[in-house]
Amino acid sequence: MSLRTHPVLGGLLALFLALTGLVALPAPSHAATPVCALACDTLDPSRARQESFPVPDRNINGRILRLHVSDPDDMAWASIDDGVPGDSVWLDRSWDRGATWEPLLGKASIPGTWTGTRTLMYNITDPVGHRRGWIRACADAAAVTCTDWVYPTVCDGSRCDGADPATAAGDDTPVPSTSLFGRTISLHVDQSGGMAWGVVADGAAGDEIWLDRSWDGGASWPEGSSLGRTSVPSGAASARTVMVATRDPRGLLYGGAVRACGRAAGHQEGSCTAWVRPAPTRARAAADALMASYRTDEGWWRSSWWNSAVALTTLVDFAERTGRGDYDWAIARTFEQNRGIFPAGARSSDPVEGHFISRAVDDAAWWAVAWLTAYDRTGERRYLDEAVTITDYVHQYWDTGTCGGGVWWDRERTYKNAVTNGLYLWLATALHQRIGGDTVWGARAATAADWYLASGMINSSGLVNDGLTAGCGNNGQTVWSYNQGLAIGAFTQLWRSTGDGRYLETAERLADAAVSSPALTRDGVLTESCDLGANSCDDNQKQFKGIFVRHLADLADATGSAAYRAYVVKQADSIWATDRDSLNRLGQRWSGTSPNPSDWRTQSSALEALTAAARLTGSG
């Protein structure tokens, strides 16, 4: 810790305080780089949403040093009271469990005539940077002292670091053990509790076993190295660590990975297992991995605008269908951070003009779907109002002057296609269902349905081609699963609203075609044309299949069809068995064939299938 401006005196004082037990000895790290999570460092404490005091105050020559924490903000500040002018207070923040720290954050001195002061607020952890921090309050009042660090222990509900493996609800070894000088080092996981521990066996006294924990899938682990480190006692051949948690909801860190590492006595070399993320359930495992890519500071999944709307819809679907509210905070965060105006390149290649609207009509419509889903989850009127605003915008591009109706794909009115019109039909129906006494949106939905059925976009095989030609005929372009799914979902909901059997018959015809045609299904697994051979799907196409399954599951709910239910469950089973790695990352190809890239878009798509299967089977 840097205690004085003079380096020699500062070093001597730090050593003295360390030896007397007032301050830990490890050296400070470099100056702090501002951290932004739900807010950026240096937020005024008057804006804190909560105030708690998780560690004891310290008395320093009659002054009261206090650490204040706002868990909803994931931030802390320090104060000193009963002091005199010149007394100072600050925060230290460490990213490596107190080995080094960023010192003197927000340092403030008591001004003349005052008896106390406080710092500004600083983030305790950094979910964007995949770092879990510790923070403490320090003061200089004719001597220097600090509070205890907060929070040294990770807790996920009632499960915390340090628990005895004997209390685990299960014992799974999800990856192969590793061997070192005849010792066996294995990683053990309580899947349902998301806890892990390590075991060294076939060893000798002095052998060591420990866990590493990473918040970025094993790329780094400064805070989580050598957790639970223990040695084989004399006369024994094995030892195990305590358990550690793999989720830190307080710090907005999800999808933590662990590995077991060991060292044989008398040797410097160590060996570790592969990294693992626990899987309490299929859907929860996939959701945790998806949230590891969420930008808490910006409120979206960076680099794809409409895809982020679909990812949020998927996340809300997960919460609604499984009863897990872990990520409900992300609904408001996404809304509040993104409803404004953004220049081209900030969120989309096009400017975003406010209310999630841009020149791409279908992009805006995906956000309307997200906010209707959020409204269903939360009951907050602002989300319904936003969906109405966006869908009003989409309706502006309904044009009977070309092809007799239909919504244009873009503001330049260059193309009438299946995705934009499937979205419009679903949205108009959904608004009619949610707005009491509505007649406007219901009438628009009926008009849009008649136009869609007569448009020719549904071909003779019952498959939806991409759109219409300039001459208003089916353009014969690629059959994509999301176009098929949107039409299934829209006509299913129209049937729920009106009871008109032709809508349900249309939804079933579209579904039967999709699950039986090689254009969309191969060996029972949903397959895009870009999933075949050496093809690759672009960032948009990676998310299509999840949209289809969401709407097919809705039809399965509506009809009670065992065949549709079995198809959805087949997708989830194939994803889990063939398309998942030890970090629960889910790839583009649900059949597991190569090449099979994975990113947050493929994760979101597969999560929708896992959620749909859980919804239909009641498996949570």
Side-chain angles (χ1 to χ4, degrees), residues 266-570:
H267 297 271
Q268 293 301 310
E269 301 94 322
S271 185
C272 299
T273 68
W275 291 98
V276 167
R277 284 177 174 142
T281 68
R282 293 176 176 186
R284 284 182 59 191
D288 279 346
L290 174 63
M291 282 304 291
S293 297
Y294 183 78
R295 294 282 307 214
T296 56
D297 56 339
E298 297 173 351
W300 71 316
W301 287 265
R302 182 180 274 187
S303 82
S304 290
W305 181 236
W306 80 267
N307 303 75
S308 286
V310 176
L312 182 66
T313 303
T314 299
L315 199 69
V316 177
D317 246 7
F318 160 79
E320 194 71 3
R321 303 305 177 186
T322 64
R324 298 286 307 190
D326 307 58
Y327 315 118
D328 283 355
W329 59 270
I331 299 172
R333 184 67 181 167
T334 305
F335 183 80
E336 290 160 4
Q337 293 298 108
N338 292 284
R339 61 181 168 178
I341 296 171
F342 298 91
R347 288 294 187 270
S348 169
S349 57
D350 298 318
V352 176
E353 300 159 6
H355 296 289
F356 306 88
I357 289 170
S358 65
R359 59 169 287 280
V361 178
D362 61 329
D363 283 10
W366 287 115
W367 282 104
V369 173
W371 299 127
L372 279 175
T373 310
Y375 172 69
D376 291 344
R377 173 68 179 163
T378 66
E380 292 188 36
R381 180 74 190 202
R382 60 176 177 165
Y383 299 132
L384 178 60
D385 291 345
E386 191 71 17
V388 171
T389 297
I390 297 169
T391 312
D392 276 335
Y393 166 75
V394 175
H395 178 72
Q396 293 175 27
Y397 294 91
W398 177 271
D399 178 13
T400 57
T402 301
C403 305
V407 177
W408 290 103
W409 173 58
D410 55 6
R411 193 172 289 170
E412 293 76 18
R413 301 176 181 244
T414 63
Y415 187 31
K416 288 191 174 180
N417 62 354
V419 62
T420 314
N421 284 282
L423 282 163
Y424 177 71
L425 180 55
W426 188 92
L427 286 168
T429 306
L431 289 177
H432 173 66
Q433 292 169 331
R434 289 160 176 80
I435 298 173
D438 169 74
T439 57
V440 172
W441 288 108
R444 288 172 176 174
T447 300
D450 288 342
W451 178 85
Y452 196 109
L453 290 170
S455 69
M457 284 188 296
I458 302 174
N459 66 32
S460 59
S461 299
L463 298 173
V464 179
N465 291 103
D466 194 68
L468 301 178
T469 65
C472 299
N474 185 314
N475 63 16
Q477 290 184 18
T478 306
V479 173
W480 296 110
S481 65
Y482 79 150
N483 286 330
Q484 198 82 11
L486 282 168
I488 291 169
F491 285 109
T492 299
Q493 287 304 315
L494 269 169
W495 173 74
R496 289 184 190 272
S497 290
T498 66
D500 189 333
R502 68 186 176 125
Y503 296 143
L504 183 60
E505 290 170 5
T506 299
E508 291 176 323
R509 178 165 64 95
L510 293 167
D512 292 343
V515 302
S516 62
S517 171
L520 288 175
T521 300
R522 301 290 181 100
D523 297 322
V525 178
L526 188 60
T527 305
E528 304 285 2
S529 56
C530 58
D531 288 329
L532 299 173
N535 295 337
S536 61
C537 297
D538 66 25
D539 283 347
N540 292 326
Q541 296 155 4
K542 288 173 181 176
Q543 222 157 359
F544 288 177
K545 293 193 290 288
I547 295 164
F548 172 86
V549 172
R550 180 184 188 223
H551 292 294
L552 182 65
D554 186 31
L555 179 60
D557 262 347
T559 61
S561 167
Y564 299 152
R565 175 184 176 279
Y567 185 89
V568 172
V569 171
K570 168 76 172 179

Side-chain angles (χ1 to χ4, degrees), residues 92-112:
D92 288 341
R93 181 169 60 194
S94 175
W95 303 110
D96 54 12
R97 302 180 67 83
T100 61
W101 56 83
E102 299 167 329
L104 305 176
L105 298 181
K107 184 176 181 179
S109 297
I110 298 177

